[in-house]
Amino acid sequence: MILLTLSNISKSFVMNRVLTDVSLTLPQYARMGIVGVNGCGKSTMFQIITGRLQPDEGTVSLMKGTTVGFLTQHADIESDLTVTEELSRVFDDVKRMEARLRELEAEMAEKHADAQEMKRLSDAYARLTARFEDAGGYEWPSRVQGVLAGLGFSEERRQQKASLLSGGEKTRLCLARLLLRQPDLLLLDEPTNHLDLPSIGWLEDTLKKYKGTVMVISHDRYFLNAVCDHMAELRQTHLTQYTGNYDQFAVKREADLERQLKEYNMQQAEIERQEAIIRRYRMYNREKSIKLAESREKRLEKMERLEKPVDDQKVRFHFEARRRSGDDVLIAKDVSKSFGSRTLFRNFAIHLRAGDRVALIGPNGVGKTTLLNIITGSERADTGSFRYGTNVDIGYYDQQQASLHPEKDVMSEVWDDFLTMEPDRVRGTLALFLITGEDVFRPIATLSGGERGRVALAKLMLRKDNFLILDEPTNHLDMDSREVLECALDDFDGTILTVSHDRYFINRVANRIIEMTDEGVTEYTGNYDDYLEKKRQLAENQLVIDAAGKTRTQIDKEKRAERLSRESARALKLRFQQTEKDIAAIEQRLTEIEAEMGRPETWQDRAAAQKLEDERQEKTETLARLYEDWETLAEQMTE
């Protein structure tokens, strides 16, 4: 069943055409990824779907009754409520239902003597209870806490005012609100921005289980592979739709481009052949030949000309080292760093050898960027030591591009660091990064995040250092630029240390992974997929304790049995008899409690009724433990 249809959507802003004859069909329960270069119109298309923008041409059709939720890249929350309170507002209707249930309970307690009124109240109570349960009335507090935990909100952060959150945290809060509301169609614009790796993994699992339909704009290729079963690409104002995840889309797109280019070349060859025939006919200058020429010209005019498929411009560069470093590149021992009473990390150690490609991963706030700043010398460690090997030349890519000078133009920014270069070579280098023409004289302050990133990469390439330290190098880069960066690093014969949340990038670049957590540092050999597999094995090993494959629960039971077996036969018998008495007493008390709870007058005192329910729960749990002991003792008695 089709949930959403776009038919021939076109949209322009003044003279800038963004969308041209865009058509799309989205099946119900699909997960579709939307990709394309920055500024190609992806967010505009989402705004048209939600009705925030009207198309110049075309129509949007949604299945009747479909609810739509839209996560934008910029959230504006000014609430004075705490984070938890703000998120709990999603369940205001459920809270009202719960309040009404309490009112009905009070009315039932008051009118219990009136049979007719009790029936009316009981029926209303049953109907409302069913609605309350369907709306998640019993589990909504745990759902709120689960989403907050999954998206990386600490216990302390959950109690702060929502208005005091950072921009990224507000976006995460909006995402949490959408996931709890569960609209039929979920539109997410770059949802993995501002999330650390554990939170992205949680979001992937959540979206894969999501009961509705999902459309997501993202540059995170690993995320698109994990979540999406449909893809669509906006390229040169047109949209092309594919089935499959990102990797399958990439293969199909390349095949499409090759096919379109082949069809274009074949048509051009046919046009040239027909034009040559027409020229030959006209050379004869006879009435018959002129008529034949005119006939062929008319056929050419009616031919539907294919546009030449043009792949979007790509950044093109490579890294090389001007000299080789020694075998040891960096040795760090016992490094720690704190800010006030907060310790970021302690006892950090690393040994990098020539050719190593190490990715530092971990949750936000654990100190990854701070560690890079310490390694590069812009911050001091509290304890520990660093030693660099011989001939080590450090090149640092700062995700904030703090080394760029806002007041300089692009040309001066690069040329001032490489004064011996000819101006034409500087411009040629910038052209590799798609900065051409008058753009080379634009001030750094006016550039977008992606453009500043490309300037920083251009300077890094020209330095020809043999040890690259990269802090989130794929941020602000479109997918094609990320792939070019990965290829450039593939061919680099130096050493790499990178911090990144881009798992696709880590998979391509890293051969070792160091995970930083609040509890310490763990090193893994291999790329990100290898890291995940080893984490999975470790998790399994925690469940399987010994070679016999026994779980912790089984071993606890065995330990209890061993302790019991050491008791004397008489003590064993006495304990068995006492356990039977305890079981009988608790079963008797449970029968009494259930009888009391079945009497209408019990509910006249809600506090007493709740006390009975608490006792029933406690007795039930105790009874389950006693039955386990009874079974174990019975086995011991028969041996």
Side-chain angles (χ1 to χ4, degrees), residues 233-248:
E233 181 186 33
L234 269 171
R235 182 181 290 268
Q236 298 175 341
T237 76
H238 295 279
L239 184 135
T240 309
Q241 188 171 339
Y242 301 85
T243 57
N245 62 13
Y246 177 81
D247 281 346
Q248 293 165 333

PDB file of all heavy atoms in Angstrom, residues 233-248:
ATOM      1  N   GLU A 233      17.699   9.702  -4.621  1.00  0.00           N
ATOM      2  CA  GLU A 233      18.774  10.691  -4.754  1.00  0.00           C
ATOM      3  C   GLU A 233      18.269  11.906  -5.510  1.00  0.00           C
ATOM      4  O   GLU A 233      17.658  11.785  -6.572  1.00  0.00           O
ATOM      5  CB  GLU A 233      19.966  10.104  -5.492  1.00  0.00           C
ATOM      6  CG  GLU A 233      21.110  11.104  -5.630  1.00  0.00           C
ATOM      7  CD  GLU A 233      22.247  10.593  -6.478  1.00  0.00           C
ATOM      8  OE1 GLU A 233      21.997   9.834  -7.432  1.00  0.00           O
ATOM      9  OE2 GLU A 233      23.407  10.962  -6.190  1.00  0.00           O
ATOM     10  N   LEU A 234      18.529  13.089  -4.925  1.00  0.00           N
ATOM     11  CA  LEU A 234      18.284  14.343  -5.625  1.00  0.00           C
ATOM     12  C   LEU A 234      19.588  14.781  -6.277  1.00  0.00           C
ATOM     13  O   LEU A 234      20.589  15.001  -5.596  1.00  0.00           O
ATOM     14  CB  LEU A 234      17.797  15.413  -4.648  1.00  0.00           C
ATOM     15  CG  LEU A 234      16.293  15.538  -4.448  1.00  0.00           C
ATOM     16  CD1 LEU A 234      15.983  16.484  -3.304  1.00  0.00           C
ATOM     17  CD2 LEU A 234      15.617  16.017  -5.730  1.00  0.00           C
ATOM     18  N   ARG A 235      19.558  14.902  -7.599  1.00  0.00           N
ATOM     19  CA  ARG A 235      20.759  15.287  -8.344  1.00  0.00           C
ATOM     20  C   ARG A 235      20.336  16.213  -9.479  1.00  0.00           C
ATOM     21  O   ARG A 235      19.505  15.862 -10.309  1.00  0.00           O
ATOM     22  CB  ARG A 235      21.455  14.037  -8.896  1.00  0.00           C
ATOM     23  CG  ARG A 235      22.745  14.307  -9.644  1.00  0.00           C
ATOM     24  CD  ARG A 235      23.339  13.009 -10.178  1.00  0.00           C
ATOM     25  NE  ARG A 235      23.845  12.180  -9.103  1.00  0.00           N
ATOM     26  CZ  ARG A 235      25.104  12.205  -8.663  1.00  0.00           C
ATOM     27  NH1 ARG A 235      25.968  13.031  -9.204  1.00  0.00           N
ATOM     28  NH2 ARG A 235      25.490  11.418  -7.689  1.00  0.00           N
ATOM     29  N   GLN A 236      20.895  17.422  -9.463  1.00  0.00           N
ATOM     30  CA  GLN A 236      20.593  18.410 -10.503  1.00  0.00           C
ATOM     31  C   GLN A 236      19.089  18.637 -10.637  1.00  0.00           C
ATOM     32  O   GLN A 236      18.528  18.606 -11.728  1.00  0.00           O
ATOM     33  CB  GLN A 236      21.218  17.979 -11.830  1.00  0.00           C
ATOM     34  CG  GLN A 236      22.725  17.902 -11.763  1.00  0.00           C
ATOM     35  CD  GLN A 236      23.351  17.360 -13.029  1.00  0.00           C
ATOM     36  OE1 GLN A 236      22.686  16.726 -13.841  1.00  0.00           O
ATOM     37  NE2 GLN A 236      24.634  17.600 -13.199  1.00  0.00           N
ATOM     38  N   THR A 237      18.432  18.817  -9.514  1.00  0.00           N
ATOM     39  CA  THR A 237      17.007  19.149  -9.338  1.00  0.00           C
ATOM     40  C   THR A 237      16.063  17.986  -9.654  1.00  0.00           C
ATOM     41  O   THR A 237      14.853  18.115  -9.472  1.00  0.00           O
ATOM     42  CB  THR A 237      16.562  20.381 -10.174  1.00  0.00           C
ATOM     43  OG1 THR A 237      16.410  20.016 -11.549  1.00  0.00           O
ATOM     44  CG2 THR A 237      17.540  21.537 -10.029  1.00  0.00           C
ATOM     45  N   HIS A 238      16.577  16.845 -10.103  1.00  0.00           N
ATOM     46  CA  HIS A 238      15.738  15.694 -10.403  1.00  0.00           C
ATOM     47  C   HIS A 238      15.927  14.608  -9.337  1.00  0.00           C
ATOM     48  O   HIS A 238      16.989  14.522  -8.707  1.00  0.00           O
ATOM     49  CB  HIS A 238      16.074  15.119 -11.779  1.00  0.00           C
ATOM     50  CG  HIS A 238      15.763  16.053 -12.908  1.00  0.00           C
ATOM     51  ND1 HIS A 238      14.499  16.209 -13.426  1.00  0.00           N
ATOM     52  CD2 HIS A 238      16.570  16.896 -13.611  1.00  0.00           C
ATOM     53  CE1 HIS A 238      14.526  17.098 -14.403  1.00  0.00           C
ATOM     54  NE2 HIS A 238      15.763  17.544 -14.535  1.00  0.00           N
ATOM     55  N   LEU A 239      14.891  13.780  -9.139  1.00  0.00           N
ATOM     56  CA  LEU A 239      14.959  12.721  -8.136  1.00  0.00           C
ATOM     57  C   LEU A 239      14.863  11.355  -8.805  1.00  0.00           C
ATOM     58  O   LEU A 239      14.043  11.147  -9.701  1.00  0.00           O
ATOM     59  CB  LEU A 239      13.838  12.882  -7.110  1.00  0.00           C
ATOM     60  CG  LEU A 239      13.848  11.878  -5.947  1.00  0.00           C
ATOM     61  CD1 LEU A 239      13.606  12.583  -4.625  1.00  0.00           C
ATOM     62  CD2 LEU A 239      12.787  10.798  -6.153  1.00  0.00           C
ATOM     63  N   THR A 240      15.730  10.437  -8.363  1.00  0.00           N
ATOM     64  CA  THR A 240      15.697   9.055  -8.838  1.00  0.00           C
ATOM     65  C   THR A 240      15.530   8.138  -7.637  1.00  0.00           C
ATOM     66  O   THR A 240      16.205   8.307  -6.616  1.00  0.00           O
ATOM     67  CB  THR A 240      16.999   8.682  -9.581  1.00  0.00           C
ATOM     68  OG1 THR A 240      17.268   9.679 -10.575  1.00  0.00           O
ATOM     69  CG2 THR A 240      16.872   7.323 -10.248  1.00  0.00           C
ATOM     70  N   GLN A 241      14.621   7.172  -7.751  1.00  0.00           N
ATOM     71  CA  GLN A 241      14.272   6.284  -6.635  1.00  0.00           C
ATOM     72  C   GLN A 241      14.838   4.898  -6.875  1.00  0.00           C
ATOM     73  O   GLN A 241      14.869   4.401  -8.002  1.00  0.00           O
ATOM     74  CB  GLN A 241      12.743   6.222  -6.515  1.00  0.00           C
ATOM     75  CG  GLN A 241      12.239   5.498  -5.294  1.00  0.00           C
ATOM     76  CD  GLN A 241      10.730   5.659  -5.121  1.00  0.00           C
ATOM     77  OE1 GLN A 241      10.130   6.595  -5.667  1.00  0.00           O
ATOM     78  NE2 GLN A 241      10.125   4.759  -4.373  1.00  0.00           N
ATOM     79  N   TYR A 242      15.309   4.255  -5.792  1.00  0.00           N
ATOM     80  CA  TYR A 242      15.904   2.922  -5.862  1.00  0.00           C
ATOM     81  C   TYR A 242      15.361   2.067  -4.716  1.00  0.00           C
ATOM     82  O   TYR A 242      14.922   2.589  -3.688  1.00  0.00           O
ATOM     83  CB  TYR A 242      17.436   2.992  -5.728  1.00  0.00           C
ATOM     84  CG  TYR A 242      18.134   3.825  -6.777  1.00  0.00           C
ATOM     85  CD1 TYR A 242      18.269   5.203  -6.629  1.00  0.00           C
ATOM     86  CD2 TYR A 242      18.687   3.221  -7.912  1.00  0.00           C
ATOM     87  CE1 TYR A 242      18.914   5.972  -7.584  1.00  0.00           C
ATOM     88  CE2 TYR A 242      19.344   3.976  -8.870  1.00  0.00           C
ATOM     89  CZ  TYR A 242      19.461   5.349  -8.704  1.00  0.00           C
ATOM     90  OH  TYR A 242      20.099   6.100  -9.654  1.00  0.00           O
ATOM     91  N   THR A 243      15.454   0.747  -4.880  1.00  0.00           N
ATOM     92  CA  THR A 243      15.197  -0.163  -3.762  1.00  0.00           C
ATOM     93  C   THR A 243      16.534  -0.634  -3.207  1.00  0.00           C
ATOM     94  O   THR A 243      17.522  -0.722  -3.938  1.00  0.00           O
ATOM     95  CB  THR A 243      14.369  -1.381  -4.217  1.00  0.00           C
ATOM     96  OG1 THR A 243      15.063  -2.048  -5.277  1.00  0.00           O
ATOM     97  CG2 THR A 243      12.996  -0.965  -4.690  1.00  0.00           C
ATOM     98  N   GLY A 244      16.553  -0.954  -1.916  1.00  0.00           N
ATOM     99  CA  GLY A 244      17.781  -1.436  -1.288  1.00  0.00           C
ATOM    100  C   GLY A 244      18.393  -0.379  -0.387  1.00  0.00           C
ATOM    101  O   GLY A 244      17.912   0.753  -0.281  1.00  0.00           O
ATOM    102  N   ASN A 245      19.480  -0.767   0.288  1.00  0.00           N
ATOM    103  CA  ASN A 245      20.165   0.158   1.199  1.00  0.00           C
ATOM    104  C   ASN A 245      21.189   1.005   0.436  1.00  0.00           C
ATOM    105  O   ASN A 245      21.216   1.005  -0.790  1.00  0.00           O
ATOM    106  CB  ASN A 245      20.805  -0.603   2.363  1.00  0.00           C
ATOM    107  CG  ASN A 245      21.871  -1.585   1.890  1.00  0.00           C
ATOM    108  OD1 ASN A 245      22.322  -1.564   0.735  1.00  0.00           O
ATOM    109  ND2 ASN A 245      22.287  -2.462   2.778  1.00  0.00           N
ATOM    110  N   TYR A 246      22.064   1.700   1.181  1.00  0.00           N
ATOM    111  CA  TYR A 246      22.984   2.640   0.527  1.00  0.00           C
ATOM    112  C   TYR A 246      23.960   1.932  -0.407  1.00  0.00           C
ATOM    113  O   TYR A 246      24.191   2.394  -1.531  1.00  0.00           O
ATOM    114  CB  TYR A 246      23.751   3.462   1.575  1.00  0.00           C
ATOM    115  CG  TYR A 246      24.753   4.390   0.926  1.00  0.00           C
ATOM    116  CD1 TYR A 246      24.342   5.604   0.404  1.00  0.00           C
ATOM    117  CD2 TYR A 246      26.090   4.018   0.786  1.00  0.00           C
ATOM    118  CE1 TYR A 246      25.245   6.446  -0.235  1.00  0.00           C
ATOM    119  CE2 TYR A 246      27.001   4.855   0.148  1.00  0.00           C
ATOM    120  CZ  TYR A 246      26.567   6.066  -0.356  1.00  0.00           C
ATOM    121  OH  TYR A 246      27.463   6.885  -1.005  1.00  0.00           O
ATOM    122  N   ASP A 247      24.560   0.841   0.044  1.00  0.00           N
ATOM    123  CA  ASP A 247      25.533   0.149  -0.800  1.00  0.00           C
ATOM    124  C   ASP A 247      24.889  -0.335  -2.098  1.00  0.00           C
ATOM    125  O   ASP A 247      25.481  -0.230  -3.181  1.00  0.00           O
ATOM    126  CB  ASP A 247      26.139  -1.046  -0.041  1.00  0.00           C
ATOM    127  CG  ASP A 247      27.223  -0.616   0.940  1.00  0.00           C
ATOM    128  OD1 ASP A 247      27.681   0.536   0.832  1.00  0.00           O
ATOM    129  OD2 ASP A 247      27.593  -1.424   1.807  1.00  0.00           O
ATOM    130  N   GLN A 248      23.674  -0.869  -1.993  1.00  0.00           N
ATOM    131  CA  GLN A 248      22.976  -1.326  -3.202  1.00  0.00           C
ATOM    132  C   GLN A 248      22.630  -0.140  -4.105  1.00  0.00           C
ATOM    133  O   GLN A 248      22.744  -0.233  -5.334  1.00  0.00           O
ATOM    134  CB  GLN A 248      21.713  -2.084  -2.793  1.00  0.00           C
ATOM    135  CG  GLN A 248      22.010  -3.394  -2.071  1.00  0.00           C
ATOM    136  CD  GLN A 248      20.800  -3.956  -1.345  1.00  0.00           C
ATOM    137  OE1 GLN A 248      19.897  -3.221  -0.948  1.00  0.00           O
ATOM    138  NE2 GLN A 248      20.759  -5.264  -1.174  1.00  0.00           N
TER     139      GLN A 248
END
